Amino acid sequence: MPESNYDNTDCGSSDPDIKQEMEKEFVDLLTEELKLQEAVAKEHSRHMNITFGEVKMVASQYQKEVEKCIAATETCEEERERAEVSLIRERKVTTLWEQRSSNGLGRGINTACGPFNYPRLERFL
């Protein structure tokens, strides 16, 4: 294969018409590259907006679930507190009846006076 002394760096540099055409092609290539980069950036931005919208929607759903859980927890806590108060009352009544039973007051009928009339327990609670 014969060697060529062809140097492409000088190609058309002496001809002003060729030089001008090559500069036009270079500017056109740069313009096209910028347009492609802009299109890619727009597509990336569109994709990010869609993703962001989906994330907001999922976050909103999670927030609603959290609010439901908080409400349910508060309801359970209120019921637990009511049950605790009721248990304390029941223990007081039980203790009162145990005291009366150990003192012989819970035997029922007094032959001389008839049945005992116990005061209402609520006043002791």
Side-chain angles (χ1 to χ4, degrees), residues 7 17 19 31 36-37 54 64 66 78 80 99 108 119:
D7 186 6
D17 290 334
K19 187 175 181 181
T31 302
L36 286 172
Q37 287 181 6
E54 291 171 352
K64 288 176 186 174
V66 166
E78 290 169 3
R80 186 200 60 78
Q99 288 172 353

Side-chain angles (χ1 to χ4, degrees), residues 16 20 22 35 57 60 87 98 103 111 119:
Q20 185 178 11
M22 290 184 71
K35 285 179 182 178
M57 185 177 67
S60 176
L87 179 62
E98 286 173 350
N103 291 335
T111 55

Side-chain angles (χ1 to χ4, degrees), residues 8-124:
N8 63 1
T9 57
D10 289 345
C11 180
S13 60
S14 60
D15 185 350
D17 290 334
I18 292 177
K19 187 175 181 181
Q20 185 178 11
E21 187 62 32
M22 290 184 71
E23 286 175 2
K24 280 184 187 177
E25 287 180 19
F26 182 72
V27 169
D28 289 343
L29 287 172
L30 286 177
T31 302
E32 185 179 342
E33 177 66 22
L34 288 174
K35 285 179 182 178
L36 286 172
Q37 287 181 6
E38 182 180 9
V40 168
K42 282 182 181 179
E43 179 60 25
H44 180 72
S45 178
R46 187 185 73 78
H47 176 72
M48 292 305 294
N49 287 337
I50 291 170
T51 303
F52 183 69
E54 291 171 352
V55 167
K56 281 175 56 175
M57 185 177 67
V58 170
S60 176
Q61 289 172 346
Y62 279 125
Q63 183 62 36
K64 288 176 186 174
E65 291 298 317
V66 166
E67 289 169 2
K68 287 179 189 176
C69 288
I70 289 171
T73 301
E74 288 173 354
T75 301
C76 288
E77 183 61 22
E78 290 169 3
E79 290 300 317
R80 186 200 60 78
E81 289 172 359
R82 283 190 206 113
E84 187 177 12
V85 167
S86 179
L87 179 62
I88 290 169
R89 285 185 186 149
E90 288 295 322
R91 284 183 179 162
K92 286 181 181 179
V93 170
T94 300
T95 301
L96 184 61
W97 279 106
E98 286 173 350
Q99 288 172 353
R100 285 184 178 180
S101 176
S102 66
N103 291 335
L105 296 175
R107 287 204 173 92
I109 300 176
N110 181 335
T111 55
C113 303
F116 284 114
N117 288 324
Y118 290 109
R120 292 193 58 102
L121 294 175
E122 286 82 20
R123 75 174 215 205
F124 294 106

